[in-house]
Amino acid sequence: MSNVTYYLKKFADNDLLLGYRPNSSKVSCNDEFVTAGDIIINSTTNEATIVSPLNEGKILTQASIKIIIRDPQQLDLWYLCYLFNGSQIIKKQIYSLVEGTVLRRITQSNIQDLDIPVISLEEQKRIGESYRIFMVRKRLRIHREEEEQKAIFNFLEKKITYVKKGNKDEY
């Protein structure tokens, strides 16, 4: 059982920032495992992501809902991600549909009851691509900040070591 890997929130968050765009519009029918290109909703955060090839084959957790798009030629996946993650239109609907006072968890039936704004596929793709690029840029900003933090902390650590050895030079 040690080889079992679940599709955890950290993997979903990373997939979202990777900005994976599937080449094909295949429909995954496996309810237990994730496949690259699947759209997954985290039922505790109500956030959507598209599974990247890095996480293909991981097992869905109870907090994950796999969305099956009946006609993938009519709905852009990144547009749907934007709707769940950024659109107040959907956030307000989710808030009114979900149950719970502290933790408002969305269910499969709640998702089916959502009124998804219907716009042309061309416009969906423009919105979806803008959101996807935003997420990729966010990942790059996070990476730059982490690298900058490492460099600054390394510099400061060397200064502490330098001063601790009895050197009084200013920096």
Side-chain angles (χ1 to χ4, degrees):
M1 236 11 211
S2 62
N3 290 343
V4 173
T5 307
Y6 291 93
Y7 189 68
L8 304 173
K9 183 180 180 322
K10 67 180 181 179
F11 299 127
D13 291 346
N14 189 53
D15 279 347
L16 186 63
L17 294 172
L18 284 173
Y20 175 68
R21 182 171 285 284
N23 292 334
S24 66
S25 303
K26 64 180 165 98
V27 176
S28 169
C29 296
N30 189 321
D31 289 338
E32 188 176 345
F33 298 98
V34 296
T35 304
D38 285 348
I39 188 155
I40 305 294
I41 308 291
N42 182 306
S43 66
T44 56
T45 64
N46 303 327
E47 293 176 339
T49 193
I50 297 172
V51 177
S52 76
L54 294 174
N55 290 306
E56 188 162 38
K58 289 188 169 81
I59 299 172
L60 280 172
T61 66
Q62 290 182 340
S64 299
I65 301 170
K66 186 185 290 192
I67 303 300
I68 306 297
I69 308 297
R70 289 189 185 104
D71 187 357
Q73 301 301 324
Q74 298 300 314
L75 184 63
D76 182 76
L77 297 181
W78 278 101
Y79 171 68
L80 190 59
C81 276
Y82 165 73
L83 289 176
F84 272 90
N85 302 344
S87 172
Q88 290 304 309
I89 295 167
I90 295 299
K91 288 185 184 296
K92 286 176 185 175
Q93 288 183 57
I94 290 172
Y95 188 80
S96 68
L97 287 172
V98 297
E99 298 175 4
T101 53
V102 177
L103 187 61
R104 301 181 69 84
R105 297 175 64 106
I106 196 166
T107 65
Q108 184 77 41
S109 63
N110 294 142
I111 293 169
Q112 291 170 347
D113 290 339
L114 291 173
D115 184 21
I116 302 294
V118 179
I119 60 176
S120 72
L121 186 58
E122 185 177 303
E123 192 61 30
Q124 288 179 38
K125 287 182 179 186
R126 277 196 287 271
I127 292 169
E129 186 63 9
S130 294
Y131 181 66
R132 188 187 75 78
I133 289 169
F134 171 78
M135 296 312 294
V136 169
R137 287 181 176 167
K138 181 177 179 179
R139 176 177 51 88
L140 296 173
R141 282 192 307 274
I142 290 168
H143 179 71
R144 274 194 308 272
E145 288 174 5
E146 289 170 351
E147 291 300 312
E148 180 181 13
Q149 180 180 340
K150 279 189 228 175
I152 290 171
F153 285 10
N154 188 32
F155 172 78
L156 295 174
E157 195 66 27
K158 286 180 181 177
K159 286 297 180 184
I160 292 170
T161 304
Y162 183 76
V163 172
K164 190 176 176 183
K165 289 182 180 179
N167 300 308
K168 304 282 186 205
D169 294 344
E170 295 290 323
Y171 53 100

